[in-house]
């Protein structure tokens, strides 16, 4: 595995992994995504792509069908069979427009499908549409839960209409919890999603920031919102 510690302090914009062997294509996509504030990782082979996907758990993967070595369809199959990677939305790119191939791509688990030559604007629109469904806070959406409102574009959080002061890590923690209310997250899952997969922090770090977040959420009164699930982790209730 490539050693690549990653952190995303206070940044809730989405992380996209592009697996495409044609450098010019990859650069075009990456340029357009970065222009819109996305964090982009690129892999030129299927092997590298699989490794990076497990390592960085991106919010979305753009995968080319025609790759040297492990084919795109095989990469897709492996990603969709992987415990960590199966939930990552995946858009497949291909020169193959035949119906049988399209069906095969979707059957292997691709969430969306674009035939080359595609318009870069259409790809951007598909990326945003997918992320709006799967991780709304990453594309500038507003999340609401009970009396809590989180505006990801302005990095502001309100409770009962009153702004709350939150550190960047607490903001990202809250965004993850608000995207999946009532879901119990293990400390490990929170480390992956808030700090990045290869971070050096331990569970204690999660507890410290959860404690700070709890304190921030009750600044203006109101009951606590984060539940500790003994021996497991935390959830927003
Ligand atoms: Ca290719």
């Amino acid at each position: 595995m490539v050693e690549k510690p990653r952190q995303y302090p206070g940044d809730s914009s989405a992380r996209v992994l592009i697996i495409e062997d044609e450098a010019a294509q990859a650069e075009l996509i990456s340029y357009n995504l970065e222009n819109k504030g996305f964090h982009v990782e690129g892999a030129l082979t299927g092997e590298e792509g699989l490794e990076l996907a497990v390592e960085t758990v991106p919010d979305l993967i753009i995968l080319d069908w025609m790759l040297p070595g492990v084919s795109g369809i095989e990469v897709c199959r492996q990603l969709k069979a992987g415990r960590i990677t199966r939930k990552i939305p995946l858009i497949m790119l291909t020169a193959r427009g035949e119906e049988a191939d399209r069906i095969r791509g979707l059957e292997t688990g691709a969430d969306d499908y674009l035939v080359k030559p595609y318009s870069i604007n259409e790809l951007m629109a598909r990326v945003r549409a997918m992320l709006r469904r799967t991780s709304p806070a990453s594309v500038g959406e507003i999340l609401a839960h009970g009396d809590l409102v989180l505006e990801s574009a302005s990095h502001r959080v309100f409770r009962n209409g009153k702004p709350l002061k939150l550190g960047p890590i607490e903001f990202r923690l809250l965004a993850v919890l608000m995207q999946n209310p009532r879901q119990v997250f293990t400390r490990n899952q929170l480390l992956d999603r808030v700090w990045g997969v290869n971070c050096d922090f331990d569970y204690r770090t999660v507890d410290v920031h959860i404690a700070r977040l709890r304190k921030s959420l009750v600044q203006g009164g109101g009951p606590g919102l984060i539940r500790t699930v003994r021996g497991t982790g935390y959830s927003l209730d």
Side-chain angles (χ1 to χ4, degrees):
M1 275 234 192
V2 190
E3 197 54 37
K4 205 183 243 179
R6 299 202 44 168
Q7 287 182 44
Y8 317 101
D11 195 337
S12 67
S13 62
R15 295 165 298 129
V16 178
L17 171 62
I18 304 169
I19 310 174
E20 160 70 278
D21 61 310
E22 291 146 75
Q25 282 286 330
E27 270 165 34
L28 178 69
I29 302 169
S30 149
Y31 172 82
N32 278 275
L33 286 171
E34 281 173 350
N35 243 347
K36 295 193 160 56
F38 292 98
H39 294 268
V40 181
E41 289 269 9
L44 295 172
T45 64
E47 290 89 339
E48 196 193 340
L50 284 166
E51 218 168 73
L52 270 176
V54 172
E55 204 181 316
T56 64
V57 196
D59 297 296
L60 181 130
I61 296 173
I62 298 173
L63 170 67
D64 186 33
W65 180 304
M66 299 296 283
L67 292 170
V70 183
S71 72
I73 203 89
E74 178 57 21
V75 172
C76 178
R77 202 193 56 74
Q78 289 192 31
L79 287 171
K80 290 301 177 183
R83 187 182 56 83
I84 299 173
T85 52
R86 60 162 33 112
K87 281 189 179 162
I88 304 172
L90 189 147
I91 300 178
M92 225 162 162
L93 303 177
T94 180
R96 303 172 182 228
E98 293 88 23
E99 194 187 15
D101 284 333
R102 280 207 299 276
I103 290 167
R104 195 164 154 229
L106 294 170
E107 274 178 358
T108 315
D111 302 277
D112 201 356
Y113 194 98
L114 222 54
V115 177
K116 289 179 177 177
Y118 53 84
S119 108
I120 190 74
N121 290 332
E122 181 173 8
L123 177 59
M124 293 301 121
R126 300 263 188 116
V127 165
R128 286 187 67 87
M130 185 78 76
L131 287 171
R132 213 172 286 133
R133 291 206 302 273
T134 55
S135 45
S138 70
V139 282
E141 301 291 297
I142 292 171
L143 297 177
H145 177 77
D147 55 7
L148 262 186
V149 172
L150 179 146
E151 288 181 6
S152 75
S154 63
H155 272 229
R156 289 192 302 174
V157 176
F158 300 88
R159 186 159 189 195
N160 272 324
K162 288 180 193 146
L164 299 181
K165 271 193 187 141
L166 242 66
I169 294 286
E170 286 70 37
F171 181 87
R172 205 174 151 80
L173 254 178
L174 183 61
V176 169
L177 294 171
M178 283 182 78
Q179 272 166 33
N180 308 276
R182 281 173 292 278
Q183 181 181 326
V184 179
F185 285 93
T186 65
R187 290 173 175 83
N188 212 17
Q189 287 168 331
L190 290 173
L191 276 175
D192 286 356
R193 299 183 67 162
V194 176
W195 284 268
V197 167
N198 274 357
C199 67
D200 292 328
F201 300 114
D202 59 18
Y203 293 171
R204 172 87 190 118
T205 308
V206 178
D207 296 340
V208 167
H209 286 278
I210 284 280
R212 283 189 198 155
L213 176 58
R214 277 190 162 131
K215 212 169 154 191
S216 302
L217 290 179
V218 297
Q219 277 163 34
L225 296 165
I226 296 172
R227 185 163 63 96
T228 304
V229 183
R230 291 249 167 264
T232 310
Y234 298 102
S235 76
L236 183 73
D237 283 357

